[in-house]
Amino acid sequence: MVEGSMTQGAGQGPVVRTATLRDFRVPPYAQVPVQSQLAEEQKEPPAPPQPPQAATPSQPHEPPGPQPEPTAQEVLPPRSTHPGNAVPEDELPEGYTPTERDLPVIKRADPGDTVKMQTIPGEGSDGLGPLYVVGDVHGYFDELVEALAAQGLIDADGGWAAGNARLWFLGDFTDRGPDGIGVIDLVMRLSAEAAAAGGYCKALMGNHELLLLGAKRFGDTPVNSGAGTATFQAAWLLNGGQKSDMDRLQDVHVQWMARLDAVVEEDRHLLMHSDTTAYLDFGSTIEDVNETVHEILTRNDADECWDLFRKLTKRFAFRDEGGPQAVRDLLATYGGQRIVHGHSPIPYLLGEVGNEDGEEVERTVIDGPHVYADGLAIAMDGGVTMAGKLLVVQLPVPN
C-alpha cells in the first residue's frame, strides 16, 4: 500500500507470510502456554519466557530492548500439533467466536468497489496532529512494535516519537498471540509518553477485554447464556485465552481495561471495536454508551457482564445488502461520517476462510484496511492471528 493512502486492502498475489493459518480454538484443557507444549514435544526444557517489561504511566520509562526469546513464528508448532486446532467434542458455548472452519463463506467484493482515500498532511479538528488507528493486536507484540515503528510513531527504543499525533487502538489486545500483557503494558506506557509530548495514545474496549475481565473476575461461575450453562473461563479459553497472560495480569491492568470507552468520535470518524449495531442497546449518545458499559463493569454482575460481552461479540452487521443502512443508523445516532472498526478479520469479510478439511486456499494479500458498505465502513482487523497483517493506518483529514 502506498504510504499515506488507504485502499480496500485487497491486492492480488500469494500470501506474503507462508505460515499456515492459526486456528483460534483453544479448548479448556489447554492450560499451558504453547511454548511449553512445543518444548515438551521436542523433549527439551523450554527457555523461560522473557516478556517485555514496559513501564506503566506511574513508572519511569525503560525502553524495551531486543528480546532474546524466539519470535511468534518460531514458537508456534505446526498446524497438526498446535493445541488451537483441537476441536472440543462437546457443544460450543454461546459467545464462541467463529473460526475459519465455521464462518460463512461470502462472495468476494468486486474490485470495482474499491474506495481509495488519500491522507492529507495537516492538523485535526482539535488542533492536534494526524490521527492513526490500530487494528486488533491479539498479543502479537513484535508485530505491533514493527507496525508502529513503520509509521514513525515510536523510535528504535520503543518510545513515543510522534509528537502531537493521535493514536487510537480499537481493542482486543490479548488472546491467541504470545504476549497480550506486554501489549497492554506498551499501550499504557505510550499513553503517558504521548501526553507528555502534546499528543495522545488511547484505546477502546474490545470484546476480548470484556472476556479477560470476566475470566479474571468470575472464573467458572455459571452465567445465564440464554442457551444453557456457560462460563467466562471456558469462553476465554475457547477464544484463545493464554495462561501466561492470566498469570501476569495485575490489578493495574484490570483497572485500566475496565475504564476503556466503547465508542468515540474523532475527526468525524466513529471509532468502535465491533462491526455490530448492538451498541444501540446501551444508549442513544456516545456518552450514554460509555457510561452504561462502565456502570455494568462496576456493578460486577456476572450475568450482566456476559450479556455485554455477548452483544459486543456480534459481527458482520455492515456486510451484505443491509450493511450500508446499518452503518447509517449508527452514524445518525452517534455522529460521524464513517465507521472505523476492528473485530472481524478482513479475510472473513472477503469470504476467504478455507474449507472444512483445513486445506489452504489462495488468499489475497492484506496490505491495508477494507473499505466497504458504500464507503461508509473501514475494517481494520488485518488478520494478524491468521497470517495476515497488523494494521496501523493514518486516517484522512476530514473535508
Side-chain angles (χ1 to χ4, degrees):
M1 187 177 72
V2 178
E3 184 176 356
S5 68
M6 195 178 308
T7 71
Q8 187 184 23
Q12 298 298 322
V15 174
V16 175
R17 291 169 64 178
T18 58
T20 55
L21 298 184
R22 303 162 188 162
D23 196 328
F24 289 173
R25 290 173 176 162
V26 179
Y29 56 77
Q31 295 288 342
V32 297
V34 174
Q35 283 180 299
S36 298
Q37 291 195 358
L38 178 59
E40 177 64 23
E41 292 170 3
Q42 296 174 339
K43 302 302 181 182
E44 295 179 3
Q50 300 292 330
Q53 298 296 324
T56 64
S58 61
Q59 297 174 324
H61 167 47
E62 295 182 3
Q67 299 301 314
E69 72 269 15
T71 65
Q73 292 288 346
E74 295 170 336
V75 167
L76 287 172
R79 182 182 178 87
S80 60
T81 60
H82 194 292
N85 287 317
V87 181
E89 296 180 355
D90 55 333
E91 184 178 353
L92 297 174
E94 182 188 1
Y96 173 68
T97 300
T99 72
E100 62 201 11
R101 292 179 182 172
D102 49 27
L103 275 173
V105 177
I106 63 171
K107 183 178 181 294
R108 251 188 71 178
D110 189 321
D113 293 336
T114 297
V115 178
K116 296 183 178 180
M117 298 186 299
Q118 184 72 33
T119 56
I120 304 172
E123 293 184 343
S125 59
D126 55 6
L128 291 173
L131 173 63
Y132 293 83
V133 290
V134 183
D136 299 37
V137 181
H138 282 301
Y140 286 91
F141 179 90
D142 291 341
E143 287 84 346
L144 174 60
V145 169
E146 180 181 358
L148 292 173
Q151 290 284 6
L153 295 167
I154 61 174
D155 57 28
D157 294 323
W160 181 258
N164 68 343
R166 296 164 294 161
L167 178 63
W168 274 98
F169 285 80
L170 299 181
D172 279 8
F173 303 102
T174 67
D175 304 338
R176 299 174 180 153
D179 192 8
I181 299 303
V183 170
I184 292 177
D185 282 337
L186 175 63
V187 177
M188 292 173 66
R189 174 169 61 76
L190 290 178
S191 297
E193 295 178 4
Y200 58 73
C201 170
K202 299 182 180 181
L204 291 180
M205 175 80 69
N207 62 303
H208 280 263
E209 280 66 67
L210 294 170
L211 190 55
L212 182 57
L213 286 170
K216 176 67 173 178
R217 291 177 174 180
F218 307 116
D220 289 322
T221 300
V223 295
N224 181 16
S225 70
T229 302
T231 71
F232 270 105
Q233 177 74 4
W236 173 68
L237 288 167
L238 284 167
N239 283 275
Q242 302 296 307
K243 186 176 183 295
S244 57
D245 282 343
M246 186 64 76
D247 290 343
R248 295 162 57 204
L249 186 65
Q250 301 177 25
D251 287 344
V252 65
H253 303 130
V254 171
Q255 294 166 6
W256 180 80
M257 286 190 291
R259 291 196 297 263
L260 296 176
D261 284 338
V263 186
V264 69
E265 183 186 354
E266 287 279 358
D267 288 353
R268 291 177 239 168
H269 300 287
L270 187 63
L271 309 183
M272 56 180 59
H273 174 71
S274 305
D275 47 327
T276 178
T277 59
Y279 292 94
L280 296 170
D281 294 345
F282 301 104
S284 59
T285 68
I286 290 175
E287 293 75 16
D288 288 343
V289 173
N290 293 330
E291 183 177 351
T292 299
V293 170
H294 294 155
E295 287 177 350
I296 291 173
L297 293 176
T298 299
R299 284 194 292 270
N300 211 32
D301 178 270
D303 287 334
E304 198 174 15
C305 288
W306 179 266
D307 184 64
L308 174 63
F309 159 70
R310 180 182 61 83
K311 288 180 177 178
L312 295 192
T313 300
K314 295 179 179 180
R315 64 173 86 242
F316 299 146
F318 313 147
R319 197 185 69 179
D320 304 329
E321 185 176 352
Q325 186 57 49
V327 176
R328 290 188 182 97
D329 290 342
L330 285 164
L331 295 176
T333 301
Y334 301 128
Q337 296 178 347
R338 183 181 279 119
I339 286 179
V340 183
H341 70 85
H343 190 48
S344 291
I346 292 171
Y348 290 163
L349 293 170
L350 295 176
E352 300 173 347
V353 296
N355 58 38
E356 293 183 356
D357 296 328
E359 296 177 357
E360 294 295 331
V361 296
E362 184 174 340
R363 298 173 185 272
T364 300
V365 174
I366 303 301
D367 59 1
H370 174 51
V371 182
Y372 67 116
D374 291 349
L376 296 173
I378 302 174
M380 281 292 300
D381 185 350
V384 66
T385 63
M386 47 189 295
K389 184 176 182 179
L390 200 162
L391 298 177
V392 178
V393 173
Q394 181 184 347
L395 294 180
V397 175
N399 295 326

